[in-house]
Amino acid sequence: MNFEAHNKLRIFSVLVLSLALLSFVAFGDTTLAKIDYPSSTDVRPGYGVTDVSWLSGYHSSLKDTPGDTRVYVMEGKDTGGSALILGGTHANEPAAHSAAVTLVERGIVPSGTVYVVPFANNSGARYNREEEDVQYFTLENRSGETRKIPVGIRYTQPEDQEPDPNMFIHPQSEYFYPPAQSRNLNRVHPGLPDGNLTQKISYALFQLVKEEEIDVVVDMHEAAPWSYLSRSLICNPKSTAIGSLALLNIEAEYGFSFRLEQSQESSHGLSHREFGDRTSAEAFLIETANAYQGDTDASPKKDLGERVFHQLAIIEGILNAYSNSQSGGSVVKLEFPFDLSTIVGEDGAKLGEKLR
Amino acid sequence: MRKMVPIVVLSILLTVSIFIIAVAEDEATQPEEVSFQEPVTIVSLGQSPGAVIAKVLFQQAGIEFTYMEAREISAFTENLPNTFVPVLGASNKGLGAAGIKIEEEITWGKELFDVAKENTIPIMVMHVEGEARRGDISDQLINHFVPEADFVIIKESADKDNIFTNLCSENDIPLVSKEKGLDIAPELKELFNK
Ligand SMILES: [Zn+2]
């Protein structure tokens, strides 16, 4: 490198540094700045995971965006059917992504393939802009390490997407939603390849379902305990028989009851409606009861073990009911090396013990 | 030997009375002695997914049934079943609540009940969603149709306020109440002699 080139490099470095400084000053709190990469969360894949990929593998324009997210593939020894399990569609519903993380870390799939996306809207999980002191909660694993579980927001971070329109029109149904719903992953399905970031995430999930010929989609959510959605399993109309068999078996085996509900005609952009209507997959949405959503003074960890137990038991129940309904080889089996009910305990302590 | 006679008589009397009590108790707690015939027509009154759950239970019990979704009386009259199973349940709020007009549900239910009664088709009313499907609208259906039933099957948690127990005892209708939904399937098997 000659002197002139060296000098140019120095000038360039100074420029870059001052730019960086400037941007830091301009944005102050760096967490509020738009980022051009997906954030990552501590997930420790267990024996069941056979491959880890990116959602952008199904739609390349998600690459290098805060909407890209990890896809954990759990392929069984025996071929069979396939399922897609979504956590973190709404990142403020932590039993959903906690259950997905537990599945990735401890689940075993003897037959068929299970795809798990623990943070479906990774932008929403990036940080909690609404409550500074609730960015995450911690669980202690068996080796005494602290595991952080993020508590994000319901929507894509506004700075990660163009400004909200005056009215969000769900393009496939031309149904009108309030502006912020353009950042709600569970209102924009089936997405658009060249739409806003949230629509691209949705589009990528639909590509995954089509390319991997997914048989069952389960989208995990939570609702305030007083909400009419709390403790329900919402099924696409074509999937109600599988859903009711799952709930009947769970009630008999584990002794808890959830309400069976059915997607309405007006459920435009919601996963249970759109995945079921637009793909060959059976589509379900689970809603556990989360006190934090009804009252932000409550801890997001309240009854976490029970909430995650409900999520995982229902997923297991759906996959069993689906497999039993198949005369051919479309079996998807999911197992855990412990009785699921043993994760019930105060504030998720027992759940922490199961994490890696 | 003489002393033995009263003892023998006494023990015979005791055995007989125990037997009578046992039979009487058996009759009181065993409404299953009623029996129903296939095929069954399942109809939802209130449009909750309870009818889908009932469908799954009949399937599990191996009983032949039709699930009638059409809301024309001809669909019922043209294909009269041997047992009519209206499944009660409506949403008070949220999913499905918007589409329900309770008066229409009651009118529709009455039409079906009338046809069933004219044709002496036994009516087995079901409510299989427990306390999760109670509330104003469901209760209107319950108050209206349970007294018209020949037999009632419910999931126990729906009866915490004894609404079913009271309506059934007032109207002398056998009531079967199960703690877990899945336990209704073997009950159906017995009722249909499967
Ligand atoms: Zn949600």
Side-chain angles (χ1 to χ4, degrees):
Chain A
M1 192 189 293
N2 63 34
F3 177 76
E4 212 177 324
H6 193 242
N7 217 11
K8 271 184 182 166
L9 193 72
R10 270 176 63 185
I11 294 166
F12 181 71
S13 323
V14 168
L15 255 165
V16 168
L17 256 169
S18 24
L19 251 168
L21 249 164
L22 240 163
S23 62
F24 182 78
V25 171
F27 291 106
D29 184 357
T30 47
T31 53
L32 288 169
K34 182 186 188 308
I35 55 164
D36 54 2
Y37 50 84
S39 59
S40 49
T41 306
D42 181 13
V43 179
R44 306 175 182 185
Y47 290 123
V49 175
T50 49
D51 193 14
V52 182
S53 62
W54 291 98
L55 187 59
S56 57
Y58 298 94
H59 186 43
S60 58
S61 79
L62 265 187
K63 199 164 178 286
D64 298 320
T65 74
D68 203 0
T69 191
R70 287 292 196 180
V71 179
Y72 297 87
V73 186
M74 305 171 80
E75 192 178 346
K77 280 203 179 73
D78 300 335
T79 53
S82 57
L84 170 64
I85 312 295
L86 302 177
T89 292
H90 292 147
N92 62 330
E93 298 166 8
H97 48 262
S98 301
V101 170
T102 310
L103 210 170
V104 166
E105 300 198 357
R106 303 302 306 274
I108 300 290
V109 178
S111 43
T113 307
V114 176
Y115 297 79
V116 188
V117 183
F119 299 94
N121 188 343
N122 209 8
S123 166
R126 197 151 71 76
Y127 72 103
N128 190 334
R129 62 184 296 109
E130 286 152 10
E131 281 179 280
E132 264 175 52
D133 57 333
V134 193
Q135 296 299 327
Y136 57 83
F137 56 77
T138 59
L139 297 173
E140 194 177 291
N141 72 7
R142 264 168 91 169
S143 18
E145 294 171 306
T146 297
R147 299 290 309 271
K148 283 186 181 177
I149 306 285
V151 181
I153 57 166
R154 182 176 172 85
Y155 303 103
T156 303
Q157 307 290 351
E159 63 271 24
D160 289 348
Q161 190 170 298
E162 61 259 40
D164 295 342
N166 289 333
M167 195 62 96
F168 170 63
I169 305 166
H170 179 250
Q172 291 81 7
S173 64
E174 298 185 344
Y175 188 81
F176 282 63
Y177 277 119
Q181 301 298 338
S182 69
R183 288 182 285 114
N184 184 345
L185 180 57
N186 204 29
R187 293 297 181 280
V188 306
H189 293 309
L192 286 176
D194 50 358
N196 66 32
L197 182 67
T198 318
Q199 287 170 313
K200 283 180 187 165
I201 297 169
S202 163
Y203 180 80
L205 292 170
F206 271 77
Q207 288 303 106
L208 190 165
V209 169
K210 287 170 187 166
E211 283 175 31
E212 308 296 352
E213 297 174 6
I214 298 291
D215 299 307
V216 177
V217 176
V218 184
D219 187 15
M220 292 185 279
H221 286 255
E222 297 202 274
W226 42 259
S227 158
Y228 64 85
L229 290 170
S230 172
R231 292 179 65 118
S232 65
L233 173 66
I234 308 161
C235 312
N236 186 275
K238 73 181 182 187
S239 311
T240 47
I242 290 171
S244 58
L245 190 55
L247 292 184
L248 285 166
N249 285 330
I250 286 163
E251 188 182 56
E253 189 184 344
Y254 291 115
F256 72 86
S257 309
F258 264 50
R259 229 166 349 102
L260 185 77
E261 297 286 1
Q262 191 173 304
S263 326
Q264 301 298 298
E265 284 304 325
S266 59
S267 309
H268 303 296
L270 280 89
S271 60
H272 49 84
R273 173 98 258 168
E274 307 292 353
F275 279 108
D277 285 5
R278 294 171 195 274
T279 75
S280 55
E282 308 285 347
F284 305 91
L285 189 152
I286 304 169
E287 296 271 10
T288 51
N290 174 15
Y292 168 70
Q293 273 171 276
D295 169 12
T296 47
D297 288 337
S299 163
K301 268 208 301 196
K302 188 175 185 292
D303 302 325
L304 182 73
E306 187 181 38
R307 287 146 59 198
V308 170
F309 162 55
H310 288 163
Q311 299 276 7
L312 294 175
I314 293 174
I315 291 171
E316 188 191 66
I318 289 170
L319 295 182
N320 284 339
Y322 171 77
S323 300
N324 290 336
S325 75
Q326 298 298 303
S327 46
S330 258
V331 171
V332 198
K333 243 182 128 55
L334 170 65
E335 287 173 358
F336 290 87
F338 47 85
D339 180 337
L340 277 179
S341 62
T342 59
I343 62 180
V344 179
E346 203 178 324
D347 288 357
K350 292 257 171 63
L351 175 66
E353 286 172 16
K354 300 291 190 230
L355 295 179
R356 293 197 178 273
Chain B
M1 203 48 201
R2 264 196 201 159
K3 273 185 183 171
M4 287 294 283
V5 173
I7 294 169
V8 169
V9 170
L10 196 72
S11 36
I12 288 170
L13 274 174
L14 257 169
T15 316
V16 168
S17 53
I18 286 167
F19 183 69
I20 290 169
I21 289 165
V23 167
E25 284 226 321
D26 200 44
E27 272 182 359
T29 56
Q30 297 277 315
E32 294 91 307
E33 284 182 18
V34 192
S35 97
F36 292 88
Q37 305 296 316
E38 299 168 280
V40 172
T41 292
I42 302 173
V43 170
S44 163
L45 287 182
Q47 298 177 36
S48 88
V52 179
I53 299 171
K55 242 168 74 172
V56 169
L57 293 169
F58 275 92
Q59 225 155 27
Q60 298 252 307
I63 296 161
E64 195 192 326
F65 68 89
T66 318
Y67 176 56
M68 197 180 108
E69 275 187 286
R71 286 175 68 96
E72 289 110 42
I73 197 70
S74 58
F76 190 58
T77 49
E78 281 163 16
N79 202 359
L80 285 175
N82 285 326
T83 306
F84 172 45
V85 178
V87 185
L88 309 185
S91 303
N92 245 18
K93 49 182 181 172
L95 295 176
I100 303 279
K101 291 203 179 81
I102 183 67
E103 302 77 20
E104 280 177 21
E105 284 309 297
I106 288 176
T107 314
W108 169 233
K110 268 185 177 166
E111 257 184 275
L112 292 164
F113 272 67
D114 285 350
V115 173
K117 284 177 190 268
E118 275 163 30
N119 293 279
T120 58
I121 297 166
I123 302 172
M124 179 189 281
V125 165
M126 290 177 83
H127 185 285
V128 291
E129 296 176 278
E131 61 183 328
R133 204 68 71 186
R134 284 286 311 277
D136 291 352
I137 304 181
S138 289
D139 289 4
Q140 286 188 56
L141 294 165
I142 292 165
N143 283 314
H144 223 97
F145 293 114
V146 166
E148 303 297 321
D150 296 303
F151 201 89
V152 176
I153 303 182
I154 62 163
K155 200 168 96 174
E156 204 172 272
S157 69
D159 198 29
K160 283 187 175 163
D161 57 354
N162 291 320
I163 187 172
F164 287 98
T165 304
N166 293 339
L167 286 171
C168 287
S169 70
E170 281 160 23
N171 295 281
D172 218 7
I173 302 163
L175 169 68
V176 166
S177 174
K178 291 286 171 193
E179 189 196 341
K180 292 175 176 179
L182 203 58
D183 294 337
I184 293 173
E187 194 70 38
L188 290 173
K189 262 188 173 179
E190 270 187 47
L191 288 166
F192 283 83
N193 293 317
K194 296 297 280 189

